[in-house]
Amino acid sequence: IFVSKTKVRGSSPRGPAMKKVIIVHGWEGKPTSNWFPWLKSELETRGVQTEVPAMPNSELPRESEWLVHLRATIGEPEEDTFLIGHSLGCVTILRYLESLPEGVRVGGAVFVAGFSERIGFPELNNFFSCPVDFRRARRASLQQIVAIQSDNDKYVPAWHGEVFRDKLGARLVTIPNGGHFNRSEGFTEFPQALLELLDLMDVE
């Protein structure tokens, strides 16, 4: 696991309890996969309400089902709600953001190993029946969106992060040798993702 030059800030009781984070896993994922339990624990230590929904039919995902489930998990979108997705979870968040009515916003979002167009897996093509509306998605986020990509992800080439930067106005963080940021590559913890969320939420 890489070591960031920026230290993750220690826990503080000052973190407002009303902050809420939804962690959206990816294809074939589950709430106990990868770094999701660790991130949930770290956020809850700081007084942040955190949920990791089990997305339906994870092995054969359908955009319509995942979007309905994410909407139900979030409930009424608020500016104290923050979203973080991994892989296909990022696409799901994008589809959610672009669907929000004008004037309705969440606090912000972090995309980890995300992509916004087809990456060569037919099982996921139903998420891309139409292009992502980046303008609507960006408008639905109060804070800047952050994209965390690796330079050696065998599933999601690094240029997908550049698309988020150029079309979504995201701040791009590139991590050397991070792979797909999953358990098999050592990512049972993910300090950089925690740091980015804390910065967005202004929580220490």
Side-chain angles (χ1 to χ4, degrees):
I1 300 176
F2 89 107
V3 178
S4 171
K5 293 182 180 179
T6 306
K7 293 179 63 178
V8 176
R9 293 168 288 187
S11 61
S12 168
R14 295 184 299 167
M18 68 177 61
K19 301 288 186 184
K20 180 179 180 181
V21 168
I22 308 297
I23 303 171
V24 186
H25 66 70
W27 182 24
E28 297 184 339
K30 54 186 177 180
T32 56
S33 298
N34 305 319
W35 38 269
F36 313 142
W38 175 86
L39 182 59
K40 183 176 189 293
S41 176
E42 290 292 322
L43 290 169
E44 290 177 340
T45 296
R46 292 162 172 80
V48 179
Q49 180 185 350
T50 308
E51 294 186 51
V52 193
M55 304 305 284
N57 301 319
S58 178
E59 295 186 359
L60 293 172
R62 304 295 301 175
E63 179 193 321
S64 56
E65 295 178 347
W66 279 40
L67 199 51
V68 166
H69 195 67
L70 182 57
R71 287 193 184 111
T73 301
I74 295 173
E76 191 71 25
E78 298 176 348
E79 294 183 356
D80 285 318
T81 298
F82 295 80
L83 309 173
I84 177 168
H86 176 243
S87 195
L88 188 65
C90 302
V91 181
T92 308
I93 291 172
L94 275 174
R95 292 304 190 188
Y96 171 77
L97 292 177
E98 71 176 9
S99 74
L100 291 177
E102 185 171 357
V104 177
R105 298 189 293 182
V106 299
V110 176
F111 297 150
V112 177
F115 49 95
S116 57
E117 56 190 86
R118 298 180 182 188
I119 57 171
F121 294 95
E123 298 92 336
L124 310 183
N125 286 350
N126 70 93
F127 283 76
F128 304 102
S129 58
C130 62
V132 171
D133 189 330
F134 289 101
R135 183 185 63 83
R136 289 181 63 92
R138 178 68 189 94
R139 188 178 62 190
S141 177
L142 178 66
Q143 299 292 339
Q144 184 178 41
I145 293 171
V146 178
I148 303 177
Q149 304 286 145
S150 169
D151 62 358
N152 70 335
D153 189 329
K154 61 183 178 181
Y155 304 113
V156 183
W159 60 262
H160 286 277
E162 297 172 2
V163 172
F164 289 140
R165 180 195 63 198
D166 297 341
K167 295 188 176 182
L168 200 58
R171 187 169 69 83
L172 177 59
V173 178
T174 302
I175 296 177
N177 301 314
H180 198 53
F181 303 114
N182 52 25
R183 182 181 295 272
S184 65
E185 292 165 296
F187 280 82
T188 56
E189 300 181 2
F190 203 170
Q192 191 71 40
L194 173 62
L195 178 64
E196 300 300 341
L197 275 173
L198 295 179
D199 283 344
L200 286 179
M201 296 187 291
D202 194 23
V203 173
E204 296 185 352

Coordinates of all heavy atoms in Angstrom, one line a residue, residues 75-134:
G75 N -32.1 8.3 0.6 CA -33.3 9.0 1.1 C -33.3 10.4 0.5 O -33.0 10.6 -0.7
E76 N -33.6 11.4 1.3 CA -33.7 12.8 0.8 C -32.2 13.3 0.7 O -31.5 13.4 1.7 CB -34.5 13.6 1.8 CG -34.8 15.0 1.4 CD -35.8 15.0 0.2 OE1 -36.6 14.1 0.2 OE2 -35.8 16.0 -0.5
P77 N -31.8 13.6 -0.5 CA -30.4 14.1 -0.6 C -30.2 15.4 0.1 O -31.1 16.3 0.0 CB -30.3 14.3 -2.2 CG -31.7 14.4 -2.7 CD -32.5 13.6 -1.8
E78 N -29.1 15.6 0.8 CA -28.8 16.8 1.5 C -27.4 17.2 1.3 O -26.5 16.4 0.8 CB -29.0 16.5 3.0 CG -30.5 16.2 3.4 CD -30.6 15.9 4.9 OE1 -29.6 15.7 5.5 OE2 -31.8 15.8 5.3
E79 N -27.1 18.4 1.6 CA -25.7 18.9 1.4 C -24.7 18.4 2.4 O -23.5 18.7 2.4 CB -25.7 20.5 1.4 CG -26.5 21.0 0.2 CD -26.5 22.5 0.0 OE1 -25.9 23.2 1.0 OE2 -27.0 23.0 -1.0
D80 N -25.2 17.7 3.5 CA -24.4 17.0 4.4 C -24.2 15.5 4.1 O -23.6 14.8 4.9 CB -24.9 17.1 5.8 CG -24.7 18.5 6.4 OD1 -23.6 19.1 6.2 OD2 -25.7 19.0 7.0
T81 N -24.6 15.1 2.9 CA -24.5 13.8 2.4 C -23.3 13.7 1.4 O -23.3 14.5 0.5 CB -25.7 13.2 1.8 OG1 -26.8 13.2 2.7 CG2 -25.5 11.8 1.2
F82 N -22.4 12.8 1.6 CA -21.2 12.6 0.8 C -21.2 11.2 0.3 O -21.5 10.2 1.0 CB -19.9 13.0 1.5 CG -19.9 14.4 1.9 CD1 -20.6 14.9 3.0 CD2 -19.2 15.3 1.1 CE1 -20.5 16.2 3.4 CE2 -19.1 16.7 1.5 CZ -19.8 17.1 2.6
L83 N -20.7 11.0 -1.0 CA -20.7 9.7 -1.6 C -19.3 9.3 -2.0 O -18.5 10.2 -2.5 CB -21.6 9.7 -2.9 CG -23.0 10.3 -2.7 CD1 -23.7 10.4 -4.0 CD2 -23.8 9.4 -1.7
I84 N -19.0 8.1 -1.8 CA -17.7 7.5 -2.3 C -18.0 6.2 -3.0 O -18.6 5.3 -2.5 CB -16.6 7.4 -1.2 CG1 -15.3 6.8 -1.8 CG2 -17.1 6.6 0.0 CD1 -14.1 6.9 -0.9
G85 N -17.5 6.1 -4.2 CA -17.7 4.8 -5.0 C -16.4 4.2 -5.4 O -15.4 4.9 -5.5
H86 N -16.4 2.9 -5.6 CA -15.3 2.1 -6.1 C -15.7 1.5 -7.4 O -16.7 0.8 -7.5 CB -14.9 1.1 -5.1 CG -13.8 0.2 -5.6 ND1 -13.9 -1.2 -5.8 CD2 -12.5 0.5 -6.0 CE1 -12.7 -1.7 -6.3 NE2 -11.9 -0.7 -6.4
S87 N -15.0 1.7 -8.5 CA -15.2 1.1 -9.8 C -16.6 1.4 -10.3 O -17.0 2.5 -10.5 CB -14.9 -0.4 -9.6 OG -14.7 -1.0 -10.9
L88 N -17.4 0.3 -10.4 CA -18.8 0.5 -10.9 C -19.6 1.3 -10.0 O -20.6 2.0 -10.4 CB -19.4 -0.9 -11.2 CG -20.8 -0.9 -11.9 CD1 -20.7 -0.4 -13.3 CD2 -21.4 -2.3 -11.8
G89 N -19.3 1.4 -8.8 CA -20.0 2.3 -7.8 C -19.9 3.7 -8.2 O -20.8 4.5 -7.9
C90 N -18.8 4.1 -8.9 CA -18.6 5.5 -9.3 C -19.6 5.8 -10.4 O -20.2 6.9 -10.4 CB -17.2 5.7 -9.8 SG -15.9 5.4 -8.6
V91 N -19.8 4.9 -11.4 CA -20.8 5.1 -12.4 C -22.2 5.2 -11.8 O -23.0 6.1 -12.3 CB -20.7 3.9 -13.4 CG1 -21.7 4.1 -14.5 CG2 -19.4 3.7 -13.9
T92 N -22.5 4.4 -10.9 CA -23.8 4.5 -10.2 C -24.0 5.8 -9.6 O -25.1 6.4 -9.7 CB -23.9 3.4 -9.2 OG1 -23.6 2.1 -9.8 CG2 -25.3 3.3 -8.6
I93 N -23.0 6.3 -8.9 CA -23.1 7.7 -8.3 C -23.3 8.7 -9.3 O -24.1 9.7 -9.2 CB -21.8 8.0 -7.4 CG1 -21.8 7.1 -6.2 CG2 -21.8 9.4 -7.0 CD1 -20.5 7.1 -5.4
L94 N -22.5 8.6 -10.4 CA -22.7 9.6 -11.5 C -24.1 9.6 -12.1 O -24.7 10.7 -12.3 CB -21.7 9.3 -12.7 CG -20.3 9.8 -12.6 CD1 -19.5 9.3 -13.8 CD2 -20.3 11.4 -12.6
R95 N -24.7 8.4 -12.3 CA -26.1 8.3 -12.7 C -27.1 8.9 -11.7 O -28.1 9.5 -12.1 CB -26.4 6.9 -13.1 CG -25.7 6.3 -14.2 CD -25.9 7.1 -15.5 NE -25.4 6.4 -16.7 CZ -25.3 7.0 -17.9 NH1 -25.7 8.2 -18.1 NH2 -24.9 6.3 -18.9
Y96 N -26.8 8.7 -10.5 CA -27.6 9.3 -9.4 C -27.5 10.8 -9.5 O -28.6 11.5 -9.4 CB -27.2 8.8 -8.1 CG -27.8 9.5 -6.9 CD1 -29.2 9.2 -6.6 CD2 -27.2 10.5 -6.2 CE1 -29.8 9.8 -5.5 CE2 -27.8 11.1 -5.1 CZ -29.1 10.8 -4.8 OH -29.7 11.5 -3.8
L97 N -26.3 11.4 -9.5 CA -26.1 12.8 -9.5 C -26.8 13.5 -10.7 O -27.5 14.5 -10.6 CB -24.6 13.2 -9.5 CG -23.9 12.8 -8.2 CD1 -22.4 13.1 -8.4 CD2 -24.5 13.5 -7.0
E98 N -26.7 12.9 -11.9 CA -27.2 13.5 -13.1 C -28.8 13.4 -13.0 O -29.4 14.2 -13.7 CB -26.7 12.8 -14.3 CG -27.2 11.4 -14.6 CD -26.8 10.8 -15.9 OE1 -25.9 11.4 -16.6 OE2 -27.3 9.8 -16.3
S99 N -29.3 12.6 -12.2 CA -30.8 12.4 -12.1 C -31.4 13.4 -11.1 O -32.7 13.5 -11.1 CB -31.2 11.0 -11.7 OG -30.9 10.8 -10.4
L100 N -30.6 14.1 -10.3 CA -31.2 15.0 -9.3 C -31.8 16.2 -9.9 O -31.2 16.8 -10.9 CB -30.1 15.4 -8.3 CG -29.6 14.3 -7.4 CD1 -28.5 14.8 -6.5 CD2 -30.7 13.7 -6.5
P101 N -32.9 16.7 -9.4 CA -33.5 17.9 -10.0 C -32.6 19.1 -9.7 O -31.8 19.1 -8.8 CB -34.8 18.0 -9.1 CG -35.0 16.7 -8.5 CD -33.7 16.1 -8.3
E102 N -32.8 20.1 -10.6 CA -32.0 21.3 -10.4 C -32.2 21.9 -9.1 O -33.3 22.0 -8.6 CB -32.3 22.3 -11.5 CG -31.4 23.5 -11.6 CD -31.7 24.4 -12.8 OE1 -32.5 24.0 -13.6 OE2 -31.0 25.5 -12.9
G103 N -31.1 22.3 -8.4 CA -31.2 22.9 -7.1 C -31.0 21.9 -6.0 O -30.8 22.3 -4.8
V104 N -31.1 20.6 -6.3 CA -30.9 19.6 -5.2 C -29.5 19.1 -5.3 O -29.0 18.7 -6.4 CB -31.9 18.4 -5.4 CG1 -31.6 17.3 -4.4 CG2 -33.3 18.9 -5.3
R105 N -28.8 19.1 -4.2 CA -27.3 18.8 -4.2 C -26.9 17.9 -3.0 O -27.5 18.0 -1.9 CB -26.5 20.1 -4.2 CG -26.7 20.9 -5.4 CD -25.7 22.0 -5.5 NE -25.8 23.0 -4.4 CZ -25.1 24.1 -4.3 NH1 -24.1 24.4 -5.2 NH2 -25.3 24.9 -3.3
V106 N -25.9 17.1 -3.2 CA -25.2 16.4 -2.1 C -24.0 17.2 -1.8 O -23.6 18.2 -2.5 CB -24.9 15.0 -2.5 CG1 -26.2 14.2 -2.8 CG2 -23.9 14.9 -3.7
G107 N -23.3 16.8 -0.7 CA -22.1 17.6 -0.3 C -20.9 17.4 -1.3 O -20.2 18.4 -1.6
G108 N -20.7 16.2 -1.8 CA -19.6 16.0 -2.6 C -19.4 14.5 -2.9 O -20.2 13.7 -2.4
A109 N -18.4 14.2 -3.7 CA -18.2 12.8 -4.0 C -16.7 12.5 -4.3 O -16.0 13.3 -4.7 CB -19.0 12.4 -5.3
V110 N -16.4 11.2 -4.0 CA -15.0 10.7 -4.3 C -15.2 9.5 -5.1 O -15.9 8.6 -4.8 CB -14.2 10.4 -3.0 CG1 -12.9 9.8 -3.3 CG2 -14.1 11.6 -2.1
F111 N -14.5 9.5 -6.3 CA -14.5 8.3 -7.2 C -13.2 7.6 -7.1 O -12.1 8.2 -7.3 CB -14.7 8.8 -8.6 CG -16.1 9.4 -8.8 CD1 -16.2 10.4 -9.8 CD2 -17.2 9.1 -8.1 CE1 -17.5 11.0 -10.0 CE2 -18.4 9.7 -8.3 CZ -18.6 10.6 -9.2
V112 N -13.2 6.3 -6.8 CA -12.0 5.5 -6.7 C -12.0 4.5 -7.8 O -12.9 3.7 -7.9 CB -11.9 4.8 -5.4 CG1 -10.6 3.9 -5.3 CG2 -11.9 5.8 -4.2
A113 N -11.0 4.5 -8.7 CA -10.9 3.6 -9.9 C -12.2 3.7 -10.7 O -12.7 2.7 -11.1 CB -10.6 2.2 -9.4
G114 N -12.7 4.9 -10.9 CA -13.9 5.1 -11.6 C -13.8 5.2 -13.1 O -12.7 5.4 -13.6
F115 N -14.9 5.1 -13.8 CA -14.9 5.2 -15.2 C -16.3 5.7 -15.6 O -17.3 5.5 -14.8 CB -14.6 3.9 -15.9 CG -15.4 2.7 -15.4 CD1 -16.5 2.3 -16.0 CD2 -14.9 2.0 -14.3 CE1 -17.2 1.2 -15.6 CE2 -15.6 0.9 -13.8 CZ -16.8 0.5 -14.5
S116 N -16.4 6.3 -16.7 CA -17.7 6.9 -17.2 C -18.2 6.5 -18.5 O -19.1 7.0 -19.1 CB -17.6 8.5 -17.1 OG -16.5 8.9 -18.0
E117 N -17.5 5.5 -19.0 CA -17.9 4.9 -20.3 C -17.4 3.4 -20.3 O -16.8 2.9 -19.4 CB -17.2 5.6 -21.5 CG -15.7 5.7 -21.4 CD -15.2 6.7 -22.4 OE1 -15.1 7.9 -22.2 OE2 -14.8 6.2 -23.5
R118 N -17.8 2.7 -21.3 CA -17.6 1.2 -21.4 C -16.1 0.9 -21.3 O -15.2 1.6 -21.9 CB -18.1 0.6 -22.7 CG -19.7 0.8 -22.7 CD -20.2 0.2 -24.0 NE -21.7 0.4 -24.1 CZ -22.5 -0.1 -25.0 NH1 -22.0 -0.9 -26.0 NH2 -23.8 0.1 -25.0
I119 N -15.8 -0.2 -20.6 CA -14.4 -0.6 -20.4 C -14.1 -2.0 -20.9 O -13.1 -2.6 -20.5 CB -13.9 -0.4 -18.9 CG1 -14.8 -1.3 -18.0 CG2 -13.9 1.0 -18.5 CD1 -14.3 -1.3 -16.5
G120 N -15.0 -2.5 -21.7 CA -14.8 -3.8 -22.3 C -15.4 -5.0 -21.7 O -15.1 -6.2 -22.0
F121 N -16.3 -4.8 -20.7 CA -17.0 -5.9 -20.0 C -18.5 -5.8 -20.4 O -19.2 -4.9 -19.9 CB -16.8 -5.8 -18.5 CG -15.4 -6.0 -18.1 CD1 -14.6 -5.0 -17.8 CD2 -14.9 -7.3 -17.9 CE1 -13.3 -5.1 -17.4 CE2 -13.6 -7.5 -17.4 CZ -12.8 -6.4 -17.2
P122 N -18.9 -6.7 -21.3 CA -20.3 -6.7 -21.7 C -21.3 -6.7 -20.6 O -22.4 -6.1 -20.7 CB -20.5 -7.9 -22.6 CG -19.1 -8.2 -23.0 CD -18.2 -7.8 -21.9
E123 N -21.0 -7.3 -19.4 CA -21.9 -7.3 -18.3 C -22.2 -6.0 -17.7 O -23.2 -5.8 -17.1 CB -21.3 -8.2 -17.2 CG -21.0 -9.6 -17.6 CD -19.6 -9.8 -18.1 OE1 -19.0 -8.9 -18.6 OE2 -19.1 -11.0 -18.0
L124 N -21.4 -5.0 -18.0 CA -21.6 -3.6 -17.5 C -22.1 -2.6 -18.5 O -22.4 -1.5 -18.2 CB -20.3 -3.1 -17.0 CG -19.5 -4.0 -16.0 CD1 -18.2 -3.3 -15.5 CD2 -20.4 -4.5 -14.8
N125 N -22.3 -3.1 -19.7 CA -22.7 -2.1 -20.8 C -24.1 -1.5 -20.6 O -24.4 -0.4 -21.1 CB -22.7 -2.9 -22.1 CG -21.3 -3.1 -22.7 OD1 -20.4 -2.6 -22.1 ND2 -21.2 -3.9 -23.7
N126 N -25.0 -2.1 -19.8 CA -26.3 -1.6 -19.5 C -26.2 -0.2 -18.7 O -27.2 0.5 -18.7 CB -27.2 -2.6 -18.8 CG -26.8 -2.8 -17.4 OD1 -27.3 -2.2 -16.5 ND2 -25.9 -3.8 -17.2
F127 N -25.1 0.0 -18.1 CA -24.9 1.3 -17.4 C -24.6 2.4 -18.3 O -24.5 3.6 -17.9 CB -23.8 1.1 -16.4 CG -24.1 0.4 -15.1 CD1 -24.2 -1.0 -15.1 CD2 -24.4 1.1 -13.9 CE1 -24.6 -1.7 -14.0 CE2 -24.7 0.4 -12.8 CZ -24.9 -1.0 -12.8
F128 N -24.4 2.1 -19.6 CA -24.0 3.1 -20.6 C -24.9 3.2 -21.8 O -24.4 3.3 -22.9 CB -22.5 2.8 -21.0 CG -21.6 2.8 -19.8 CD1 -21.1 1.5 -19.3 CD2 -21.2 3.9 -19.2 CE1 -20.3 1.5 -18.2 CE2 -20.3 3.9 -18.1 CZ -19.9 2.6 -17.6
S129 N -26.2 3.0 -21.6 CA -27.1 3.1 -22.7 C -27.1 4.5 -23.3 O -27.6 4.7 -24.4 CB -28.5 2.7 -22.2 OG -28.9 3.5 -21.2
C130 N -26.7 5.5 -22.5 CA -26.6 6.9 -23.0 C -25.4 7.5 -22.3 O -25.0 7.1 -21.2 CB -27.8 7.7 -22.7 SG -28.2 7.9 -21.0
P131 N -24.8 8.6 -22.9 CA -23.6 9.2 -22.3 C -24.0 9.8 -21.0 O -25.1 10.3 -20.7 CB -23.2 10.3 -23.3 CG -23.8 9.8 -24.6 CD -25.1 9.1 -24.2
V132 N -23.0 9.9 -20.1 CA -23.2 10.6 -18.8 C -23.3 12.1 -19.1 O -22.6 12.7 -19.9 CB -21.9 10.4 -17.9 CG1 -22.0 11.2 -16.6 CG2 -21.9 8.9 -17.5
D133 N -24.3 12.7 -18.4 CA -24.4 14.2 -18.4 C -23.6 14.8 -17.4 O -24.0 15.0 -16.2 CB -25.9 14.5 -18.2 CG -26.2 16.0 -18.5 OD1 -25.3 16.8 -18.3 OD2 -27.4 16.3 -18.9
F134 N -22.3 15.1 -17.7 CA -21.4 15.6 -16.7 C -21.8 17.0 -16.2 O -21.6 17.3 -15.0 CB -20.0 15.8 -17.4 CG -19.3 14.4 -17.7 CD1 -19.3 13.9 -18.9 CD2 -18.7 13.7 -16.7 CE1 -18.7 12.7 -19.2 CE2 -18.1 12.5 -16.9 CZ -18.1 12.0 -18.2

